[in-house]
Amino acid sequence: MAFGDLLEQVGGTGRFQVLHVTLLSIPVLMLASHNLLQNFVAAVPAHYCSLHANLSHLQLSPEEALQVTVPLDPKGRPQRCRRYAAPQWHLLAENASDGAEGPGAAELQGCADGWSYNMSDMGSTIVSDWDLVCDLRSLKEMGQTVYMGGVLVGALVFGALSDKYGRRILLLISYLLMAVSGTCVAYSTSFSYYCLFRFGCGMALSGLGLNTFSLIVEWIPTRVRTVVGTATGYCYTVGQLLLAVIAYFIRDWRWLTLAVSLPFYVFFLYSWWFHESSRWLALSNRPEQAIKNLQSVGRFNGRHEEAEKIDVKRLEESMKKEMSCTQGSHTVLDLFRTPVMRRMTLFLSAVWLSTSFAYYGLAMDLQKFGVDIYLIQVIFGAVDIPAKVVITVSMSFLGRRPSQAGALIIAGITILINLLVPYDKQTIRTCLAVVGKGCLAASFNCCFLYSGELYPTIIRQNGMGWVSMMARVGAMLAPMVLLTGDHLPWLPGLIYGGAPIVSGVAAVFLPETLGTPLPDSIQDVEDRGSGKSSKMSARETIMLQDTEGSFLKQAA
């Protein structure tokens, strides 16, 4: 008897599982809201230097005041970061030309009196509130990097603590941390406090993703993990669409932040009903509590008699195999000790880092496409739906390796082609960006499954933890690359497009796993790398299919 048999005995897909998975999946809808919140709370409105102080008492129209104060750029728009040192009254004369260029050009200066913002299309943002423009423009990108740093630290902290203290209590803490940090972000009085509390939101997001995934898969039977994993993964996709709707109706950044944070107080309150994983309790030498939870689930599912038959002896027998799989001491260093494992880990690190790097490079800079940011957010979110379907079919028929490499290379090519499209061709630029973003979303799905199949059982968690960390490093780097565009406008696109192509080529050298048994030991991986193979048993086939549920972790 395995633990799954005990789960079936108390009702593997009963009312408890339906309610349990539903309540855990609802917060996943809001994860995308915090991940992509920067697109709206840090949107950059049209701006230019404020008028000279001595012009305030004059009877000038706004257009005339702007004309004598701010020079025009080569495209005929007011310059954002410079103004005339003194008002140029002669420009009010009919047919007068801008005197900012050429011989005898008027003296220019920085925006000594601050900036004026055109807020006709949006409410206040952190950019307009704290003047994160011109010389302070880099602070906007740093805010997103700090948030992603919190995601990285949260993965390290909550991942270790959940194995020690349990999934449920860490999930409760994550809900509360997200609610409190998000509320504090909305009431931040300075950019420093904003970054501090956004870091807390990032940590909470990791805790939510990791522990939600664990509690879902550890309370459902193996046969439905793929379906449940797919459905929960789509909750994150729907969350991207939900964010666009919320942001469209709530234009002020403080109220928007509150709107996506306050629901986590509700999630915190109802999460006290969640049952700790009986599987984790049994592995943590707490069999009595594990039995109590199993019996509670049995009663909820209407299986009172079957639940009462479970005792400590039956639980220990069911966990023998699980305990044997946890024996032995393995660390992250084992990922690099042997030649095949080392090469595989380096290639997978490149795949994960570049996928996340390019994904957030596209998804976090919506204004560059020249299209309404609310519309482009809906399109970017919707494209994930067909992308996931296509990559799932491709992985099943063409294989994991060509699907992974193809998704990355196509994404990189579309990003590079976009560099050659004129800025005024907004429809073409948007279509190419949508294709690239869809390919990167597909790459995320593929690499979760592919990595889980490549790493052996005894070190799979270490391997998945390592490559997930690489993905978060890529997400941290993505916003900072945008700053290189101040000097070379084409450089960010070149980097965002080149990275997936290089990692796509690296993916070609990974072994194919479609139709092959899951490796159990490091030696199995080395044998596979040397060309040795074995026939897949029926049980291994089932295990391989069940692994597909792992891409649920994208919500993290």
Side-chain angles (χ1 to χ4, degrees), residues 39-318:
N39 279 328
F40 302 100
V41 303
V44 182
H47 57 276
Y48 48 84
C49 294
S50 295
L51 307 181
H52 295 84
N54 59 1
L55 294 181
S56 59
H57 65 283
L58 299 179
Q59 299 298 319
L60 295 175
S61 69
E63 293 77 13
E64 291 174 334
L66 182 63
Q67 187 176 1
V68 301
T69 303
V70 181
L72 303 180
D73 63 17
K75 295 182 179 180
R77 297 174 303 190
Q79 292 191 22
R80 293 185 167 191
C81 299
R82 295 191 300 172
R83 72 176 185 180
Y84 296 118
Q88 303 296 298
W89 300 111
H90 68 279
L91 295 178
L92 295 178
E94 187 176 357
N95 299 324
S97 60
D98 187 352
E101 304 279 345
E107 181 184 355
L108 300 179
Q109 65 178 195
C111 300
D113 296 315
W115 289 263
S116 296
Y117 297 92
N118 181 358
M119 308 305 292
S120 58
D121 295 330
M122 61 185 73
S124 66
T125 70
I126 64 170
V127 173
S128 62
D129 277 11
W130 295 316
D131 291 331
L132 305 183
V133 293
C134 299
D135 293 340
L136 298 181
R137 177 178 176 274
S138 61
L139 293 182
K140 173 203 167 186
E141 312 303 342
M142 189 185 77
Q144 181 66 10
T145 296
V146 169
Y147 169 77
M148 287 299 177
V151 176
L152 174 60
V153 173
L156 299 174
V157 172
F158 284 105
L161 292 179
S162 65
D163 286 335
K164 184 175 182 180
Y165 297 106
R167 287 79 163 97
R168 177 179 173 273
I169 186 63
L170 268 298
L171 184 61
L172 265 67
I173 293 173
S174 298
Y175 284 145
L176 186 60
L177 178 60
M178 180 67 86
V180 173
S181 296
T183 303
C184 291
V185 167
Y187 288 99
S188 296
T189 56
S190 69
F191 181 69
S192 299
Y193 285 124
Y194 171 85
C195 289
L196 174 64
F197 296 123
R198 281 289 284 167
F199 184 87
C201 289
M203 288 188 64
L205 183 129
S206 279
L208 285 171
L210 292 172
N211 292 289
T212 295
F213 174 80
S214 296
L215 275 181
I216 287 177
V217 300
E218 291 176 3
W219 272 118
I220 60 175
T222 303
R223 55 188 169 82
V224 297
R225 282 184 185 173
T226 300
V227 176
V228 173
T230 302
T232 310
Y234 273 116
C235 286
Y236 183 85
T237 300
V238 174
Q240 297 181 59
L241 307 179
L242 182 63
L243 171 63
V245 174
I246 297 174
Y248 181 81
F249 289 103
I250 304 177
R251 301 295 180 97
D252 182 272
W253 76 269
R254 295 184 186 273
W255 285 107
L256 175 59
T257 304
L258 275 179
V260 299
S261 300
L262 293 180
F264 285 93
Y265 287 107
V266 179
F267 303 150
F268 171 74
L269 292 176
Y270 77 58
S271 63
W272 288 91
W273 174 81
F274 292 150
H275 289 49
E276 180 58 88
S277 166
S278 286
R279 190 189 302 266
W280 176 83
L281 289 168
L283 291 172
S284 302
N285 296 317
R286 296 168 62 183
E288 294 82 5
Q289 185 62 43
I291 293 171
K292 182 179 178 181
N293 284 5
L294 282 170
Q295 292 175 341
S296 174
V297 171
R299 289 191 294 271
F300 197 92
N301 287 335
R303 297 196 175 187
H304 302 268
E305 295 182 4
E306 294 87 343
E308 295 302 323
K309 295 178 182 177
I310 300 175
D311 54 24
V312 174
K313 183 178 179 180
R314 295 186 68 183
L315 179 65
E316 290 176 347
E317 288 178 354
S318 70

Side-chain angles (χ1 to χ4, degrees), residues 3 15 80 95 104 106 139 142-143 145 167 171 200 226 299 303 322 333 372 376 409 470 488 497 533 545-546:
F3 183 82
R15 288 174 297 177
R80 293 185 167 191
N95 299 324
L139 293 182
M142 189 185 77
T145 296
R167 287 79 163 97
L171 184 61
T226 300
R299 289 191 294 271
R303 297 196 175 187
E322 306 253 350
L333 295 178
D372 181 79
I376 195 69
I409 292 174
M470 290 295 101
L488 297 172
S533 62
Q545 293 171 344
D546 291 333

Side-chain angles (χ1 to χ4, degrees), residues 202-516:
M203 288 188 64
L205 183 129
S206 279
L208 285 171
L210 292 172
N211 292 289
T212 295
F213 174 80
S214 296
L215 275 181
I216 287 177
V217 300
E218 291 176 3
W219 272 118
I220 60 175
T222 303
R223 55 188 169 82
V224 297
R225 282 184 185 173
T226 300
V227 176
V228 173
T230 302
T232 310
Y234 273 116
C235 286
Y236 183 85
T237 300
V238 174
Q240 297 181 59
L241 307 179
L242 182 63
L243 171 63
V245 174
I246 297 174
Y248 181 81
F249 289 103
I250 304 177
R251 301 295 180 97
D252 182 272
W253 76 269
R254 295 184 186 273
W255 285 107
L256 175 59
T257 304
L258 275 179
V260 299
S261 300
L262 293 180
F264 285 93
Y265 287 107
V266 179
F267 303 150
F268 171 74
L269 292 176
Y270 77 58
S271 63
W272 288 91
W273 174 81
F274 292 150
H275 289 49
E276 180 58 88
S277 166
S278 286
R279 190 189 302 266
W280 176 83
L281 289 168
L283 291 172
S284 302
N285 296 317
R286 296 168 62 183
E288 294 82 5
Q289 185 62 43
I291 293 171
K292 182 179 178 181
N293 284 5
L294 282 170
Q295 292 175 341
S296 174
V297 171
R299 289 191 294 271
F300 197 92
N301 287 335
R303 297 196 175 187
H304 302 268
E305 295 182 4
E306 294 87 343
E308 295 302 323
K309 295 178 182 177
I310 300 175
D311 54 24
V312 174
K313 183 178 179 180
R314 295 186 68 183
L315 179 65
E316 290 176 347
E317 288 178 354
S318 70
M319 295 301 295
K320 282 182 180 179
K321 184 175 180 180
E322 306 253 350
M323 295 294 290
S324 65
C325 290
T326 61
Q327 291 177 354
S329 177
H330 296 280
T331 66
V332 174
L333 295 178
D334 290 307
L335 299 174
F336 301 93
R337 292 190 193 280
T338 57
V340 176
M341 283 288 295
R342 180 165 54 248
R343 183 170 64 250
M344 189 176 74
T345 298
L346 290 175
F347 289 159
L348 283 176
S349 297
V351 167
W352 281 73
L353 189 147
S354 64
T355 298
S356 180
F357 173 73
Y359 181 92
Y360 284 104
L362 281 180
M364 296 307 303
D365 191 23
L366 301 185
Q367 287 184 290
K368 69 181 178 183
F369 299 110
V371 181
D372 181 79
I373 58 174
Y374 306 99
L375 175 62
I376 195 69
Q377 177 63 54
V378 170
I379 297 173
F380 267 24
V383 74
D384 284 12
I385 298 175
K388 291 179 179 180
V389 174
V390 170
I391 199 66
T392 300
V393 174
S394 175
M395 287 189 295
S396 300
F397 291 95
L398 299 180
R400 280 58 159 143
R401 179 171 58 187
S403 299
Q404 181 70 79
L408 284 168
I409 292 174
I410 294 173
I413 290 174
T414 57
I415 295 172
L416 293 180
I417 292 176
N418 228 346
L419 292 175
L420 306 177
V421 180
Y423 185 80
D424 57 347
K425 304 292 185 181
Q426 296 177 355
T427 302
I428 299 176
R429 287 172 54 82
T430 302
C431 289
L432 287 170
V434 168
V435 173
K437 200 264 187 180
C439 288
L440 291 169
S443 176
F444 256 126
N445 272 13
C446 187
C447 61
F448 271 112
L449 171 62
Y450 197 15
S451 301
E453 293 176 342
L454 285 171
Y455 282 119
T457 301
I458 60 172
I459 202 173
R460 186 166 291 127
Q461 286 299 98
N462 297 84
M464 293 301 292
W466 172 265
V467 293
S468 295
M469 184 180 72
M470 290 295 101
R472 291 178 174 97
V473 171
M476 289 177 61
L477 295 175
M480 305 311 293
V481 170
L482 290 174
L483 299 178
T484 63
D486 293 343
H487 308 286
L488 297 172
W490 48 266
L491 188 56
L494 179 65
I495 298 174
Y496 289 138
I501 292 176
V502 172
S503 61
V505 173
V508 173
F509 296 95
L510 291 168
E512 179 57 72
T513 59
L514 177 63
T516 63

